[in-house]
Amino acid sequence: MALREIIDNPRSSRLMKNNGRQNRKPEDHEIGKYTMSVAVKLTGTHPQHIRRLGAAGLLNPDRTDGGQRLFSDSDIDIIKEVTQLETEGINLIGAKAILEIRKGKRT
């Protein structure tokens, strides 16, 4: 798959953004509500992989007063999307660039 196709078409990485869920208000989509264990179950990835995404600047989950990560629906979508991009041979730096281009933060 060509890089331009991946950048231009977020669905090219075979992800359904809402996985059939009802559309939510943007603010609801950004609220941290899933703990690490739930995020692991929802994404099928290892906790260390999710921590690496945070260290790479791809995620910035909310934190409880005790420091526990709380992931939003948006965070879960990013984890799934980056994981898929990695299976297509794109490293974390490339995945970050692709996500920034898709969001219009980078040209």
Side-chain angles (χ1 to χ4, degrees):
M1 179 174 299
L3 182 57
R4 178 82 314 194
E5 183 183 346
I6 292 170
I7 291 169
D8 292 339
N9 185 1
R11 299 206 187 271
S12 68
S13 54
R14 295 176 297 282
L15 289 177
M16 297 298 289
K17 282 293 182 195
N18 290 329
N19 292 330
R21 291 177 287 182
Q22 226 176 28
N23 288 336
R24 295 184 175 145
K25 298 177 197 172
E27 57 272 4
D28 290 345
H29 195 67
E30 299 298 324
I31 295 171
K33 54 190 155 201
Y34 305 115
T35 61
M36 177 66 82
S37 61
V38 175
V40 166
K41 288 179 184 176
L42 290 173
T43 62
T45 61
H46 194 275
Q48 188 59 38
H49 182 254
I50 296 173
R51 289 186 199 99
R52 279 189 326 126
L53 298 180
L58 289 161
L59 296 174
N60 188 17
D62 293 336
R63 299 261 182 168
T64 65
D65 291 337
Q68 187 176 19
R69 292 171 182 86
L70 292 175
F71 298 95
S72 67
D73 290 322
S74 179
D75 293 329
I76 298 299
D77 290 342
I78 290 170
I79 295 166
K80 289 178 181 179
E81 190 165 5
V82 170
T83 301
Q84 183 61 45
L85 289 170
E86 287 180 312
T87 63
E88 294 174 9
I90 298 171
N91 64 20
L92 287 181
I93 295 170
K96 184 175 182 179
I98 289 169
L99 293 178
E100 288 174 353
I101 290 168
R102 287 180 182 169
K103 290 181 182 179
K105 294 181 180 178
R106 187 173 178 170
T107 57

XYZ file of all heavy atoms in Angstrom:
839
model
N 0.851 -1.172 0.000
C 0.000 0.000 0.000
C 0.896 1.233 0.000
O 1.845 1.322 0.752
C -0.876 -0.031 1.253
C -1.784 1.133 1.377
S -2.922 1.010 2.760
C -3.821 -0.437 2.329
N 0.608 2.185 -0.857
C 1.412 3.390 -0.989
C 1.200 4.306 0.208
O 0.102 4.401 0.758
C 1.043 4.112 -2.274
N 2.278 4.998 0.602
C 2.218 5.901 1.739
C 1.181 6.991 1.524
O 0.418 7.324 2.422
C 3.593 6.520 1.988
C 3.708 7.459 3.180
C 3.285 6.746 4.460
C 5.111 7.972 3.309
N 1.090 7.533 0.318
C 0.110 8.584 0.027
C -1.306 8.067 0.275
O -2.150 8.764 0.812
C 0.274 9.052 -1.431
C -0.717 10.092 -1.858
C -0.442 11.541 -1.504
N -0.028 11.763 -0.175
C 0.047 12.910 0.515
N -0.234 13.983 0.049
N 0.440 13.047 1.689
N -1.566 6.821 -0.091
C -2.886 6.229 0.121
C -3.186 6.106 1.607
O -4.298 6.364 2.055
C -2.961 4.860 -0.551
C -4.325 4.205 -0.432
C -4.355 2.813 -1.044
O -3.429 2.455 -1.783
O -5.323 2.098 -0.744
N -2.189 5.725 2.386
C -2.370 5.592 3.831
C -2.671 6.951 4.451
O -3.546 7.090 5.295
C -1.127 4.952 4.474
C -1.003 3.490 4.043
C -1.194 5.049 5.998
C 0.303 2.842 4.432
N -1.941 7.976 4.012
C -2.134 9.320 4.564
C -3.494 9.881 4.171
O -4.220 10.417 4.999
C -1.011 10.261 4.093
C 0.316 9.842 4.740
C -1.334 11.719 4.417
C 1.526 10.518 4.167
N -3.841 9.745 2.903
C -5.076 10.334 2.398
C -6.335 9.621 2.843
O -7.398 10.214 2.928
C -5.058 10.386 0.864
C -4.037 11.376 0.351
O -3.636 12.271 1.116
O -3.650 11.251 -0.833
N -6.237 8.345 3.109
C -7.417 7.556 3.412
C -7.250 6.829 4.740
O -6.708 5.746 4.790
C -7.673 6.547 2.292
C -8.951 5.793 2.489
O -9.678 6.019 3.447
N -9.230 4.875 1.587
N -7.730 7.420 5.846
C -7.586 6.769 7.141
C -8.187 5.371 7.180
O -7.734 4.507 7.894
C -8.345 7.680 8.101
C -8.518 8.959 7.401
C -8.445 8.673 5.931
N -9.185 5.122 6.371
C -9.814 3.810 6.372
C -8.998 2.784 5.586
O -9.301 1.607 5.608
C -11.220 3.902 5.817
C -12.080 4.835 6.671
C -13.529 4.480 6.554
N -14.344 5.457 7.239
C -14.668 5.369 8.518
N -14.251 4.388 9.248
N -15.426 6.292 9.074
N -7.932 3.238 4.938
C -7.100 2.306 4.181
C -6.430 1.302 5.104
O -6.066 0.222 4.698
C -6.042 3.046 3.382
O -5.090 3.629 4.247
N -6.287 1.685 6.363
C -5.701 0.753 7.313
C -6.771 -0.151 7.926
O -6.584 -0.722 8.972
C -4.924 1.495 8.394
O -5.726 2.461 9.003
N -7.882 -0.259 7.199
C -8.962 -1.182 7.523
C -9.547 -0.964 8.918
O -9.929 -1.898 9.596
C -8.486 -2.615 7.355
C -8.152 -2.930 5.914
C -7.601 -4.306 5.753
N -6.352 -4.552 6.429
C -5.153 -4.149 6.007
N -5.044 -3.449 4.923
N -4.067 -4.459 6.675
N -9.620 0.286 9.342
C -10.222 0.579 10.636
C -11.565 1.260 10.437
O -11.706 2.130 9.595
C -9.333 1.526 11.446
C -8.050 0.924 11.984
C -7.262 2.012 12.689
C -8.334 -0.206 12.928
N -12.525 0.862 11.205
C -13.798 1.553 11.235
C -13.751 2.454 12.460
O -13.669 1.973 13.585
C -14.952 0.553 11.358
C -15.062 -0.395 10.182
S -15.383 0.447 8.640
C -17.054 0.960 8.914
N -13.764 3.745 12.245
C -13.553 4.691 13.330
C -14.444 4.459 14.537
O -13.991 4.482 15.657
C -13.748 6.120 12.828
C -12.585 6.633 12.077
C -11.433 6.779 13.010
C -10.250 7.339 12.274
N -9.038 7.201 12.975
N -15.715 4.264 14.357
C -16.614 4.098 15.489
C -17.021 2.652 15.716
O -17.785 2.372 16.621
C -17.872 4.958 15.313
C -17.571 6.419 15.453
O -16.674 6.791 16.186
N -18.299 7.241 14.736
N -16.530 1.763 14.888
C -16.882 0.351 15.015
C -18.387 0.158 15.171
O -18.849 -0.650 15.966
C -16.143 -0.290 16.187
C -14.664 -0.383 15.930
O -14.241 -0.513 14.785
N -13.870 -0.305 16.974
N -19.171 0.941 14.424
C -20.615 0.802 14.440
C -21.311 1.480 15.609
O -22.508 1.414 15.747
N -20.545 2.148 16.483
C -21.159 2.833 17.615
C -21.848 4.106 17.166
O -21.513 4.681 16.146
C -20.095 3.203 18.652
C -19.526 2.007 19.360
C -18.459 2.445 20.287
N -17.316 2.800 19.449
C -16.161 3.196 19.909
N -15.969 3.325 21.177
N -15.175 3.492 19.096
N -22.760 4.538 17.972
C -23.463 5.779 17.703
C -22.474 6.941 17.773
O -21.536 6.922 18.558
C -24.510 5.982 18.800
C -25.835 6.386 18.334
C -26.797 6.456 19.499
O -26.408 6.695 20.628
N -28.049 6.241 19.216
N -22.661 7.951 16.932
C -21.797 9.125 17.000
C -22.004 9.822 18.329
O -23.118 9.963 18.813
C -22.102 10.088 15.850
C -21.624 9.544 14.534
O -20.713 8.723 14.498
N -22.233 9.998 13.465
N -20.895 10.274 18.898
C -20.944 10.964 20.182
C -20.514 12.405 19.995
O -19.871 12.747 19.032
C -19.992 10.283 21.164
C -20.397 8.889 21.493
C -19.467 8.348 22.542
N -19.924 7.027 22.942
C -19.125 6.054 23.278
N -17.834 6.221 23.262
N -19.615 4.895 23.631
N -20.824 13.220 20.986
C -20.340 14.587 20.985
C -18.819 14.541 21.074
O -18.269 13.685 21.762
C -20.883 15.338 22.201
C -22.375 15.454 22.251
C -22.751 16.160 23.532
C -24.210 15.949 23.845
N -24.544 16.460 25.171
N -18.125 15.477 20.418
C -16.663 15.454 20.469
C -16.113 15.475 21.885
O -15.157 14.794 22.189
C -16.263 16.720 19.704
C -17.411 17.001 18.811
C -18.629 16.496 19.539
N -16.740 16.233 22.768
C -16.226 16.290 24.137
C -16.373 14.937 24.853
O -15.541 14.575 25.660
C -16.868 17.417 24.938
C -18.380 17.370 25.032
C -19.095 18.073 23.889
O -18.467 18.555 22.943
O -20.327 18.127 23.951
N -17.407 14.186 24.551
C -17.571 12.856 25.142
C -16.489 11.902 24.644
O -16.043 11.031 25.372
C -18.943 12.260 24.801
C -20.083 12.962 25.510
O -19.807 13.712 26.479
O -21.229 12.779 25.088
N -16.083 12.100 23.406
C -15.088 11.235 22.784
C -13.700 11.440 23.395
O -12.849 10.584 23.309
C -15.063 11.520 21.281
C -14.367 10.499 20.471
N -14.843 9.215 20.317
C -13.205 10.552 19.771
C -14.016 8.529 19.546
N -13.018 9.321 19.196
N -13.486 12.594 24.034
C -12.182 12.943 24.584
C -12.062 12.700 26.083
O -11.005 12.911 26.649
C -11.877 14.419 24.287
C -11.812 14.740 22.813
C -10.714 13.980 22.087
O -9.641 13.764 22.673
O -10.958 13.583 20.931
N -13.126 12.260 26.721
C -13.101 12.067 28.165
C -12.448 10.731 28.498
O -12.835 9.691 27.977
C -14.536 12.104 28.745
C -15.136 13.488 28.540
C -14.534 11.718 30.220
C -16.602 13.576 28.869
N -11.431 10.764 29.364
C -10.754 9.542 29.784
C -11.667 8.720 30.678
O -12.144 9.208 31.696
N -11.915 7.473 30.278
C -12.816 6.641 31.062
C -12.401 5.181 31.136
O -12.977 4.414 31.883
C -14.240 6.757 30.527
C -14.381 6.473 29.055
C -15.770 6.838 28.568
C -15.730 7.128 27.097
N -16.822 7.910 26.629
N -11.414 4.774 30.340
C -10.995 3.372 30.323
C -9.632 3.218 30.998
O -8.692 3.934 30.657
C -10.882 2.850 28.887
C -12.129 3.014 28.064
C -12.146 3.842 26.955
C -13.293 2.331 28.387
C -13.283 3.999 26.186
C -14.445 2.479 27.625
C -14.431 3.312 26.529
O -15.566 3.460 25.771
N -9.539 2.300 31.924
C -8.255 2.013 32.561
C -7.367 1.242 31.588
O -7.815 0.815 30.524
C -8.454 1.178 33.834
O -9.063 -0.064 33.465
C -9.297 1.910 34.862
N -6.124 1.052 31.974
C -5.180 0.337 31.116
C -5.700 -1.065 30.791
O -5.643 -1.494 29.633
C -3.812 0.243 31.793
C -2.788 -0.554 31.016
S -2.298 0.193 29.449
C -1.088 1.360 30.019
N -6.227 -1.770 31.772
C -6.686 -3.141 31.514
C -7.840 -3.171 30.516
O -7.913 -4.054 29.659
C -7.085 -3.838 32.815
O -8.155 -3.157 33.443
N -8.727 -2.202 30.587
C -9.837 -2.130 29.633
C -9.308 -1.742 28.255
O -9.721 -2.317 27.241
C -10.921 -1.143 30.119
C -12.004 -0.969 29.067
C -11.517 -1.609 31.439
N -8.366 -0.801 28.205
C -7.777 -0.389 26.925
C -7.094 -1.575 26.245
O -7.192 -1.744 25.030
C -6.782 0.755 27.138
N -6.428 -2.408 27.024
C -5.772 -3.603 26.478
C -6.812 -4.530 25.864
O -6.625 -5.042 24.752
C -4.950 -4.317 27.576
C -4.551 -5.716 27.150
C -3.723 -3.498 27.935
N -7.922 -4.728 26.548
C -8.977 -5.610 26.025
C -9.632 -5.025 24.781
O -9.936 -5.745 23.833
C -10.030 -5.865 27.098
C -9.532 -6.772 28.200
C -10.581 -6.985 29.274
C -10.002 -7.830 30.401
N -10.939 -7.988 31.501
N -9.849 -3.719 24.764
C -10.505 -3.079 23.621
C -9.617 -3.052 22.378
O -10.119 -3.090 21.255
C -10.916 -1.646 23.973
C -12.058 -1.486 24.968
C -12.233 -0.021 25.343
C -13.356 -2.035 24.386
N -8.312 -2.972 22.572
C -7.399 -2.824 21.439
C -6.662 -4.100 21.075
O -6.123 -4.203 19.975
C -6.355 -1.733 21.718
O -5.575 -2.112 22.863
C -7.010 -0.388 21.950
N -6.615 -5.051 21.991
C -5.897 -6.297 21.724
C -4.391 -6.142 21.730
O -3.683 -6.973 21.173
N -3.892 -5.068 22.326
C -2.455 -4.846 22.390
C -1.942 -5.079 23.805
O -2.713 -5.208 24.748
C -2.082 -3.416 21.952
O -2.714 -2.492 22.826
C -2.509 -3.137 20.536
N -0.639 -5.090 23.941
C 0.018 -5.304 25.229
C 0.128 -3.963 25.961
O 0.319 -2.922 25.330
C 1.407 -5.905 24.986
C 2.028 -6.456 26.209
N 2.732 -5.674 27.077
C 2.044 -7.707 26.717
C 3.171 -6.412 28.080
N 2.761 -7.661 27.874
N 0.036 -3.960 27.286
C 0.153 -2.698 28.030
C 1.449 -1.936 27.728
O 1.443 -0.714 27.637
C 0.104 -3.122 29.496
C -0.567 -4.439 29.494
C -0.247 -5.087 28.187
N 2.537 -2.671 27.549
C 3.808 -1.994 27.267
C 3.762 -1.264 25.927
O 4.348 -0.201 25.768
C 4.969 -2.999 27.279
C 6.325 -2.338 27.189
C 6.586 -1.361 28.323
O 6.219 -1.590 29.469
N 7.201 -0.232 27.999
N 3.044 -1.826 24.968
C 2.889 -1.153 23.673
C 2.140 0.164 23.851
O 2.514 1.183 23.275
C 2.149 -2.062 22.688
C 1.996 -1.465 21.338
N 0.788 -0.984 20.887
C 2.881 -1.245 20.341
C 0.945 -0.506 19.666
N 2.208 -0.647 19.315
N 1.106 0.151 24.668
C 0.336 1.374 24.922
C 1.217 2.402 25.627
O 1.192 3.590 25.300
C -0.939 1.058 25.728
C -1.863 0.160 24.884
C -1.652 2.335 26.151
C -3.076 -0.365 25.618
N 2.053 1.964 26.569
C 2.967 2.886 27.250
C 3.969 3.486 26.260
O 4.313 4.667 26.348
C 3.699 2.164 28.377
C 2.812 1.842 29.557
C 3.627 1.262 30.715
N 2.730 0.556 31.612
C 2.546 -0.760 31.627
N 3.229 -1.544 30.813
N 1.701 -1.312 32.464
N 4.438 2.674 25.308
C 5.371 3.177 24.288
C 4.724 4.260 23.439
O 5.372 5.236 23.058
C 5.859 2.047 23.368
C 6.962 1.224 23.903
C 7.555 0.263 22.875
N 6.583 -0.272 21.925
C 6.706 -0.196 20.603
N 7.744 0.356 20.053
N 5.781 -0.708 19.816
N 3.445 4.085 23.127
C 2.742 5.101 22.342
C 2.674 6.422 23.108
O 2.811 7.493 22.530
C 1.336 4.624 21.974
C 1.241 3.377 21.094
C -0.210 3.034 20.813
C 2.023 3.543 19.819
N 2.477 6.330 24.412
C 2.478 7.535 25.240
C 3.848 8.178 25.276
O 3.982 9.404 25.149
N 4.886 7.367 25.423
C 6.256 7.887 25.456
C 6.643 8.532 24.127
O 7.435 9.486 24.102
C 7.233 6.763 25.809
N 6.084 8.046 23.033
C 6.379 8.593 21.703
C 5.569 9.860 21.414
O 5.728 10.467 20.364
C 6.094 7.537 20.635
N 4.675 10.226 22.319
C 3.882 11.434 22.133
C 2.617 11.236 21.325
O 1.976 12.198 20.922
N 2.243 9.979 21.101
C 1.025 9.701 20.339
C -0.219 9.729 21.214
O -1.325 9.923 20.718
C 1.144 8.342 19.655
C 2.131 8.320 18.491
C 2.541 6.892 18.177
C 1.522 8.982 17.285
N -0.045 9.516 22.495
C -1.168 9.510 23.437
C -0.845 10.429 24.611
O 0.313 10.534 25.016
C -1.408 8.110 24.004
C -1.830 7.009 23.065
C -1.856 5.681 23.820
C -3.190 7.302 22.480
N -1.863 11.027 25.149
C -1.721 11.802 26.368
C -2.970 11.539 27.212
O -3.849 12.395 27.316
C -1.564 13.290 26.057
C -1.218 14.076 27.283
O -0.786 13.525 28.290
N -1.416 15.383 27.221
N -3.061 10.349 27.796
C -4.286 10.002 28.529
C -4.450 10.843 29.797
O -3.468 11.351 30.348
C -4.081 8.526 28.869
C -2.605 8.340 28.895
C -2.061 9.293 27.869
N -5.696 10.994 30.210
C -5.963 11.631 31.496
C -5.375 10.746 32.590
O -5.083 9.569 32.371
C -7.477 11.763 31.717
C -8.128 12.741 30.754
O -7.422 13.628 30.238
O -9.344 12.607 30.518
N -5.216 11.318 33.764
C -4.710 10.563 34.906
C -5.616 10.801 36.117
O -6.145 11.890 36.295
C -3.288 11.009 35.269
C -2.262 10.817 34.184
C -1.495 9.582 34.415
N -0.452 9.410 33.396
C 0.491 8.533 33.499
N 0.564 7.760 34.557
N 1.373 8.388 32.549
N -5.759 9.754 36.915
C -6.476 9.910 38.177
C -5.554 10.611 39.167
O -4.363 10.797 38.896
C -6.900 8.544 38.750
O -5.710 7.806 39.076
C -7.764 7.762 37.784
N -6.080 10.973 40.305
C -5.254 11.581 41.340
C -4.117 10.648 41.755
O -3.048 11.102 42.133
C -6.100 11.938 42.569
C -7.068 13.080 42.276
O -6.810 13.859 41.339
O -8.080 13.181 42.990
N -4.354 9.353 41.666
C -3.334 8.365 42.007
C -2.368 8.067 40.872
O -1.450 7.263 41.020
N -2.554 8.696 39.697
C -1.640 8.525 38.580
C -2.035 7.447 37.581
O -1.318 7.202 36.611
N -3.182 6.801 37.795
C -3.623 5.757 36.866
C -4.096 6.384 35.560
O -4.810 7.381 35.557
C -4.762 4.961 37.501
C -5.192 3.763 36.707
C -6.261 2.949 37.439
O -6.918 3.441 38.353
N -6.422 1.721 37.023
N -3.681 5.799 34.439
C -4.081 6.310 33.124
C -5.558 6.037 32.859
O -6.050 4.956 33.152
C -3.259 5.640 32.024
C -1.808 5.997 32.000
C -1.071 5.105 31.008
N 0.348 5.357 30.971
C 1.238 4.803 31.785
N 0.856 3.936 32.706
N 2.517 5.105 31.687
N -6.223 7.029 32.254
C -7.607 6.865 31.816
C -7.669 7.234 30.342
O -7.410 8.378 29.963
C -8.553 7.755 32.622
C -8.733 7.393 34.089
C -9.605 8.426 34.784
C -9.326 6.005 34.234
N -7.992 6.259 29.507
C -7.996 6.444 28.065
C -9.386 6.800 27.564
O -10.381 6.241 28.009
C -7.508 5.165 27.379
C -6.096 4.807 27.749
C -5.843 3.917 28.775
C -5.023 5.382 27.087
C -4.547 3.587 29.132
C -3.727 5.062 27.439
C -3.479 4.165 28.463
N -9.432 7.714 26.611
C -10.698 8.130 25.995
C -10.979 7.258 24.778
O -10.126 6.478 24.336
C -10.599 9.597 25.568
O -9.655 9.732 24.517
N -12.167 7.424 24.209
C -12.490 6.736 22.963
C -11.505 7.137 21.868
O -11.090 6.315 21.056
C -13.916 7.064 22.517
C -14.965 6.431 23.420
O -14.758 5.289 23.860
O -15.986 7.093 23.671
N -11.129 8.400 21.856
C -10.164 8.892 20.880
C -8.814 8.195 21.056
O -8.168 7.814 20.073
C -10.010 10.408 21.032
O -9.072 10.903 20.118
N -8.379 8.029 22.302
C -7.125 7.316 22.579
C -7.198 5.875 22.077
O -6.241 5.367 21.488
C -6.809 7.305 24.079
C -6.477 8.678 24.646
O -5.928 9.518 23.899
O -6.769 8.903 25.840
N -8.327 5.229 22.305
C -8.505 3.836 21.861
C -8.411 3.765 20.338
O -7.750 2.887 19.783
C -9.859 3.263 22.356
C -9.923 3.243 23.892
C -10.113 1.878 21.771
C -8.878 2.403 24.584
N -9.038 4.728 19.651
C -8.961 4.771 18.181
C -7.521 4.954 17.713
O -7.092 4.315 16.753
C -9.835 5.895 17.626
C -11.324 5.628 17.768
O -11.703 4.453 17.967
O -12.102 6.594 17.675
N -6.776 5.827 18.388
C -5.378 6.057 18.020
C -4.561 4.791 18.223
O -3.746 4.429 17.364
C -4.794 7.240 18.829
C -5.425 8.552 18.365
C -3.266 7.282 18.707
C -5.107 9.735 19.263
N -4.756 4.108 19.339
C -4.018 2.866 19.611
C -4.285 1.855 18.493
O -3.361 1.245 17.952
C -4.397 2.282 20.982
C -3.953 3.219 22.104
C -3.776 0.886 21.169
C -4.560 2.902 23.469
N -5.558 1.686 18.134
C -5.909 0.736 17.075
C -5.289 1.144 15.740
O -4.762 0.311 15.008
C -7.432 0.644 16.927
C -8.116 -0.066 18.064
C -9.623 -0.050 17.847
C -10.381 -0.723 18.954
N -11.844 -0.668 18.737
N -5.366 2.431 15.434
C -4.862 2.908 14.154
C -3.341 2.757 14.062
O -2.815 2.284 13.054
C -5.272 4.359 13.949
C -4.990 4.855 12.562
C -5.716 6.162 12.259
O -6.359 6.738 13.152
O -5.631 6.591 11.108
N -2.631 3.137 15.108
C -1.172 3.028 15.101
C -0.755 1.563 15.051
O 0.177 1.203 14.322
C -0.561 3.744 16.324
C 0.924 3.431 16.460
C -0.773 5.246 16.222
N -1.445 0.708 15.774
C -1.141 -0.720 15.736
C -1.297 -1.262 14.323
O -0.452 -2.030 13.842
C -2.048 -1.487 16.720
O -1.843 -0.966 18.041
C -1.746 -2.968 16.721
N -2.360 -0.851 13.633
C -2.567 -1.287 12.257
C -1.479 -0.750 11.339
O -0.957 -1.473 10.487
C -3.944 -0.859 11.754
C -4.256 -1.343 10.355
C -4.258 -2.855 10.244
O -4.816 -3.548 11.082
N -3.602 -3.385 9.220
N -1.100 0.514 11.509
C -0.036 1.085 10.688
C 1.279 0.338 10.911
O 2.030 0.093 9.963
C 0.135 2.573 10.995
C -0.985 3.497 10.508
C -0.806 4.895 11.084
C -1.057 3.530 8.998
N 1.535 -0.050 12.154
C 2.752 -0.809 12.445
C 2.733 -2.168 11.751
O 3.765 -2.620 11.257
C 2.930 -0.994 13.955
C 3.360 0.271 14.662
C 3.532 0.084 16.141
O 2.629 -0.501 16.787
O 4.573 0.508 16.662
N 1.569 -2.806 11.691
C 1.497 -4.098 10.999
C 1.717 -3.922 9.494
O 2.086 -4.877 8.819
C 0.149 -4.820 11.228
O -0.898 -4.042 10.677
C -0.097 -5.087 12.698
N 1.500 -2.710 8.998
C 1.740 -2.403 7.591
C 3.179 -1.945 7.346
O 3.522 -1.534 6.241
C 0.734 -1.362 7.109
C -0.694 -1.889 7.113
C -1.739 -0.847 6.768
O -1.371 0.276 6.360
O -2.934 -1.152 6.910
N 4.010 -1.981 8.398
C 5.426 -1.690 8.247
C 5.849 -0.271 8.554
O 6.970 0.123 8.257
N 4.983 0.511 9.175
C 5.303 1.906 9.478
C 5.705 1.995 10.947
O 5.007 1.494 11.822
C 4.102 2.814 9.162
C 3.805 2.728 7.667
C 4.351 4.241 9.609
C 2.536 3.379 7.245
N 6.846 2.654 11.221
C 7.303 2.782 12.600
C 6.540 3.887 13.334
O 5.713 4.583 12.743
C 8.816 3.004 12.653
C 9.254 4.304 12.011
O 8.469 5.226 11.829
N 10.527 4.377 11.655
N 6.826 4.053 14.631
C 6.079 5.016 15.441
C 6.257 6.454 14.957
O 5.301 7.235 14.964
C 6.479 4.910 16.913
C 5.992 3.689 17.661
C 6.454 3.727 19.107
C 4.477 3.586 17.607
N 7.451 6.799 14.527
C 7.686 8.157 14.033
C 6.857 8.399 12.771
O 6.225 9.446 12.620
C 9.185 8.390 13.771
C 9.947 8.330 15.096
C 9.422 9.730 13.077
C 11.452 8.302 14.941
N 6.829 7.413 11.884
C 6.022 7.530 10.669
C 4.539 7.581 10.983
O 3.796 8.358 10.388
N 4.106 6.759 11.939
C 2.692 6.748 12.334
C 2.291 8.094 12.923
O 1.213 8.618 12.622
C 2.433 5.625 13.332
N 3.178 8.664 13.732
C 2.888 9.976 14.319
C 2.745 11.022 13.223
O 1.820 11.841 13.248
C 3.997 10.366 15.293
C 3.732 11.654 16.023
C 4.805 11.929 17.055
C 4.510 13.209 17.823
N 5.533 13.484 18.836
N 3.636 10.991 12.239
C 3.569 11.939 11.124
C 2.272 11.760 10.338
O 1.617 12.748 9.976
C 4.778 11.759 10.213
N 1.890 10.530 10.086
C 0.649 10.261 9.344
C -0.561 10.789 10.107
O -1.442 11.437 9.542
C 0.512 8.755 9.051
C 1.534 8.344 7.989
C -0.908 8.398 8.603
C 1.674 6.857 7.812
N -0.609 10.553 11.411
C -1.730 11.043 12.214
C -1.780 12.568 12.215
O -2.860 13.162 12.147
C -1.642 10.510 13.642
C -1.844 8.998 13.811
C -1.669 8.608 15.268
C -3.194 8.558 13.301
N -0.608 13.222 12.306
C -0.576 14.683 12.279
C -1.056 15.228 10.943
O -1.783 16.216 10.889
C 0.840 15.175 12.582
C 1.236 14.996 14.029
C 2.692 15.344 14.301
O 3.455 15.609 13.340
O 3.075 15.344 15.469
N -0.664 14.568 9.849
C -1.115 15.006 8.521
C -2.629 14.839 8.408
O -3.321 15.721 7.905
C -0.384 14.207 7.416
C 1.089 14.630 7.373
C -1.060 14.406 6.057
C 1.963 13.729 6.527
N -3.144 13.720 8.877
C -4.595 13.493 8.806
C -5.377 14.519 9.615
O -6.487 14.903 9.238
C -4.928 12.094 9.311
C -4.532 11.008 8.342
C -4.887 9.655 8.893
N -4.462 8.600 7.995
C -4.459 7.322 8.319
N -4.874 6.935 9.499
N -4.061 6.413 7.457
N -4.807 14.978 10.741
C -5.487 15.957 11.579
C -5.258 17.383 11.103
O -5.794 18.318 11.681
C -5.014 15.815 13.028
C -5.487 14.561 13.703
C -4.994 14.503 15.132
C -5.419 13.225 15.811
N -4.918 13.146 17.186
N -4.415 17.541 10.077
C -4.139 18.870 9.544
C -3.121 19.631 10.349
O -2.951 20.840 10.164
N -2.401 18.983 11.255
C -1.399 19.657 12.067
C -0.046 19.707 11.372
O 0.874 20.337 11.850
C -1.220 18.948 13.409
C -2.433 19.015 14.293
C -2.186 18.323 15.599
C -3.402 18.385 16.509
N -3.183 17.685 17.760
N 0.054 19.033 10.239
C 1.322 18.950 9.522
C 1.023 18.857 8.036
O 0.042 18.244 7.636
C 2.054 17.710 10.004
C 3.429 17.540 9.500
C 4.043 16.353 10.212
N 5.369 16.119 9.713
C 6.207 15.296 10.263
N 5.870 14.621 11.323
N 7.402 15.133 9.771
N 1.877 19.458 7.241
C 1.670 19.394 5.791
C 2.780 18.645 5.111
O 3.783 18.362 5.627
C 1.586 20.802 5.183
O 2.769 21.526 5.507
C 0.351 21.512 5.682
